[in-house]
Structure formats: C-alpha cells, structure tokens
Amino acid sequence: MKVPFATFLPMHNEIRKDLDAAYNQVLDRSYFIQGEECTKFEEEFAAYCDAKYCIGVATGLDALWLVLKAMGIGKRDEVIVPSNTYIATALAVSFVGAKPVFVEPTIETYNIDVTKIEEKINENTKAIIAVHLQGRAADMDAVNAIAQKYNLKVIEDAAQAHGTRYKGRKVGTLGDAAGFSFYPGKNLGALGDGGCVVTNDKELADKVRALGNYGSDYKYHHIYQGTNSRLDEMQAAFLRVKLPHLDKWNADRKRIAEKYLQGITNPLIKLPLASTDEYEHIYHVFVIRCDRRDELERYLNESGIGTVKQYPIPMHLQEAYKELGLEQGDLPIAEEISNTVLSIPMYYGMTDEEVEYVIEALNRFE
C-alpha cells in the first residue's frame, strides 16, 4: 500500500462542483481584485473567528508584517518569537526592521515556553508573537499576562490553526491581532497563496487594510507608504466554498489523530500531546519524534508512506539569521526538535485502512 503524506483529492472531489461554480462566477463578473467575494469572505471568516474585522492579504507572512508595521514596530525594536517555528514568523519581524528574539519552546507542546519569555524582555521589546504551531493553541493566558505586565503587543501566528480553540475561544481573538495563512496545505487552504489579518481593533484593521493597498484609504489617496498585498477574488471565492466545511475537515483530522495516539505503541517513537478542552489541537500536521529520525524516515518511505521533516534546520542556524550571532548549542530545544521530528500522513479523507497501515509500520520499526 502507498499512503501519501497529504492529498487534496478527497476534499476537493466532494466540493468540485462548487469550486467550478465559484471560478465561473468570478470569471463572468470580470472583477478580480477587491470585489464582492473578498468582502464576503472577510465577513464570513471574521464571524467564524468570533472577531469584528478580517482583512484579506496576499500571504500569511504579509499578514504578520503588516500587523507589525501597523503597530509602529520598526528599527531598534525587538519582538519575541518562538525559536521553533517556520521562518516566516521571524521574517515578518525583520521586514519591518526590528530584531527577532528567539525564545525556546517546551519539548512537549512545541509552542513557546512562557516561563522563558521574561528573561528576554528589555526596553526595546515591543511585542510577543505567539505561534499556535501544528494546530495546537499556545498558552495565551500566560502570554497575555506577561504582555500586560510589560506593556507589549500580542500577535497570534495562527497560520496552522484555523478553527483551533483555547479554553473555549477560537484563536485569532486572543491577542491584539492574528495572522492566518491560506497556503493550499493549510486546514483552510486556497488554490494558491493567500492570508488574512483578524482583529477586534478597528483602528488597526483600517491601517492594515490601507497598508496592504499601497497605503491608500481610498483610490489615489495615499496616507502611508504601503505595499500591494491583497487577497484576490478567485482565491476568496474558493475559500468561501471551503469555509463551511472546515469544522468537518478538522473533526476528521482529530479522528485520524486519535487512532494514531491509541495505536502507535512503539517505545522508540514519541507522540504529540492529545487535544484537550483547554488546548485544542486540530492537527495541521501530526508530528512524532524519534532519536533515529532519518532511519525511520527511510524505513517509512520504503514502505510507501510519505513523510516530511518539519524545519530540519532551526532558524538561528539558518544563514539568513547569521547576523544574530547564534551558534549550535545556543538553543538546544529547538535544535533537538529539528533533529528528531517527523510528520506522518495526515489529511482529510484518510481511510481506516491507510491509518492502520501507517500504525502497523511504525510499530514494526526497531
């Protein structure tokens, strides 16, 4: 049997007619930027997140840096960033001229270790970016308590957490603003790039919208030195088709995760934490750890099972961030995660037979 790491076919086959209709509708209208589809999707996604405002942008990375820029964060400022995340989180800080300051995660959650944040705060610190990595909510109560103590902004990187709840509340409204990505592989993915900013702050929302539209609040009137970052009509239309199915798709991922968590018993393999009422997990990816990760990866691939190594080089060891002066051993938890994690198949529509095949293969590894 062959089990891909991911496939969109089960998802898209169920909604193909609706996707085709959405495409034809946008094509027939001949209105492709800042039209009705984008406006309606923004309203619908804001409502889904229990938020007041949603601003469609071109990518998840743009969502984060536009928020930082709208907050006035720039040169000589510092922003707390988890050391274990996709590089886009740090790049957003760099793009506004600020410095990303890495804080280690906990090895159990992969999310930022809130007990290590305060030691990295100084007079230049302006914000904390909390990443809901892999679809598991970060410890937002603790993050917000620290931010309030030091008068810092809180930004959620929710690129992998569409629909995740933290203590009963949807992520996206647990800080000052949140950035989402609609990259095709996300739990809510477009058929190309896309992203959005979610917030309850009208002033911030208006500024983000203007900054992403060449700094313009209305046509040919420019109040900021902005950029071009807008969610196009076609992608918004596709996302509108997909959004009503998101909870069902997330529930199916949880079904698969529960089977993995119950069925994988190999002591060589460390499993992720299960979803709980307080810290929901919607399993954007299902990540295991193994001290012999590369051997395990070869074994699974030879068995026809697709895998992905998530972030095999941690950010502080990437050439892009050599100016920070960090060396191997400086952030040991991020390094251990990079050296040991492996993502196994996780996608809507996996059959029980496929899940069992993966479980059996993992349990045979020795």
Side-chain angles (χ1 to χ4, degrees):
M1 178 182 289
K2 289 188 178 296
V3 183
F5 173 69
T7 176
F8 303 128
L9 289 178
M11 174 193 303
H12 289 164
N13 285 341
E14 288 185 3
I15 59 173
R16 185 175 293 274
K17 289 183 179 178
D18 292 334
L19 292 172
D20 289 343
Y23 167 81
N24 287 322
Q25 187 173 52
V26 173
L27 191 67
D28 291 343
R29 282 184 186 147
S30 296
Y31 203 111
F32 304 110
I33 300 291
Q34 293 186 317
E36 182 179 341
E37 295 297 329
C38 186
T39 298
K40 287 184 176 179
F41 174 72
E42 289 174 339
E43 293 170 353
E44 290 161 3
F45 193 68
Y48 178 81
C49 295
D50 299 321
K52 292 181 180 178
Y53 309 104
C54 171
I55 306 95
V57 297
T59 67
L61 169 57
D62 282 3
L64 294 176
W65 83 258
L66 285 168
V67 166
L68 290 165
K69 188 172 179 65
M71 289 176 170
I73 294 171
K75 291 181 179 178
R76 292 180 291 278
D77 292 334
E78 295 184 0
V79 177
I80 300 293
V81 174
S83 61
N84 176 50
T85 182
Y86 186 55
I87 198 169
T89 313
L91 289 175
V93 178
S94 301
F95 285 0
V96 296
K99 176 184 176 182
V101 176
F102 299 133
V103 172
E104 289 273 68
T106 71
I107 195 70
E108 295 83 13
T109 69
Y110 304 114
N111 283 328
I112 194 166
D113 186 342
V114 294
T115 67
K116 297 181 178 179
I117 293 176
E118 286 192 81
E119 64 191 51
K120 296 293 183 74
I121 293 174
N122 60 42
E123 66 274 10
N124 297 318
T125 309
K126 296 297 187 292
I128 303 169
I129 299 182
V131 181
H132 307 301
L133 197 67
Q134 303 168 5
R136 187 185 195 275
D139 187 353
M140 293 305 299
D141 282 353
V143 169
N144 282 316
I146 294 168
Q148 186 174 13
K149 179 178 178 180
Y150 293 95
N151 193 28
L152 306 176
K153 297 292 187 182
V154 174
I155 302 158
E156 295 173 82
D157 182 340
Q160 300 181 359
H162 311 71
T164 299
R165 293 179 184 272
Y166 170 75
K167 298 185 178 180
R169 294 176 59 194
K170 291 261 185 74
V171 301
T173 60
L174 306 177
D176 294 287
F180 286 85
S181 167
F182 300 125
Y183 180 77
K186 305 302 185 186
N187 290 35
L188 179 64
L191 304 188
D193 275 318
C196 77
V197 171
V198 169
T199 184
N200 286 325
D201 184 332
K202 185 180 188 304
E203 183 178 353
L204 184 67
D206 290 344
K207 192 168 183 180
V208 166
R209 187 177 297 282
L211 284 167
N213 187 34
Y214 299 98
S216 174
D217 54 349
Y218 60 89
K219 195 167 186 177
Y220 301 132
H221 184 258
H222 303 270
I223 52 178
Y224 310 113
Q225 294 179 9
T227 187
N228 174 14
S229 181
R230 302 173 297 203
L231 180 65
D232 71 72
E233 282 290 280
M234 197 66 77
Q235 299 306 332
F238 293 145
L239 288 166
R240 289 191 68 207
V241 171
K242 288 187 166 189
L243 181 58
H245 302 273
L246 177 57
D247 288 342
K248 178 182 74 172
W249 294 340
N250 282 346
D252 194 54
R253 288 173 178 267
K254 288 183 181 180
R255 171 189 68 84
I256 298 161
E258 287 171 4
K259 286 183 175 293
Y260 280 154
L261 290 168
Q262 292 172 11
I264 300 169
T265 57
N266 190 329
L268 298 175
I269 295 169
K270 301 175 182 66
L271 298 172
L273 295 178
S275 180
T276 68
D277 290 340
E278 285 201 334
Y279 295 89
E280 187 178 15
H281 202 321
I282 48 90
Y283 300 100
H284 168 60
V285 285
F286 192 94
V287 178
I288 60 176
R289 293 203 328 274
C290 179
D291 292 337
R292 291 158 49 208
R293 187 266 309 278
D294 293 345
E295 289 180 55
L296 176 60
E297 180 183 40
R298 285 193 295 271
Y299 161 75
L300 290 174
N301 294 166
E302 289 168 359
S303 300
I305 297 170
T307 58
V308 169
K309 288 183 283 196
Q310 303 286 338
Y311 324 144
I313 304 173
M315 289 183 296
H316 68 286
L317 299 181
Q318 296 279 0
E319 187 175 352
Y321 280 107
K322 62 183 179 182
E323 76 272 9
L324 295 180
L326 295 168
E327 299 178 350
Q328 190 164 351
D330 287 342
L331 296 170
I333 299 176
E335 292 170 25
E336 179 180 347
I337 291 171
S338 292
N339 290 330
T340 59
V341 294
L342 187 67
S343 294
I344 61 175
M346 169 60 72
Y347 53 88
Y348 171 74
M350 274 188 80
T351 66
D352 288 343
E353 291 76 17
E354 289 171 328
V355 176
E356 289 301 324
Y357 181 74
V358 175
I359 291 171
E360 290 169 6
L362 286 166
N363 286 339
R364 284 196 306 267
F365 179 72
E366 56 185 27

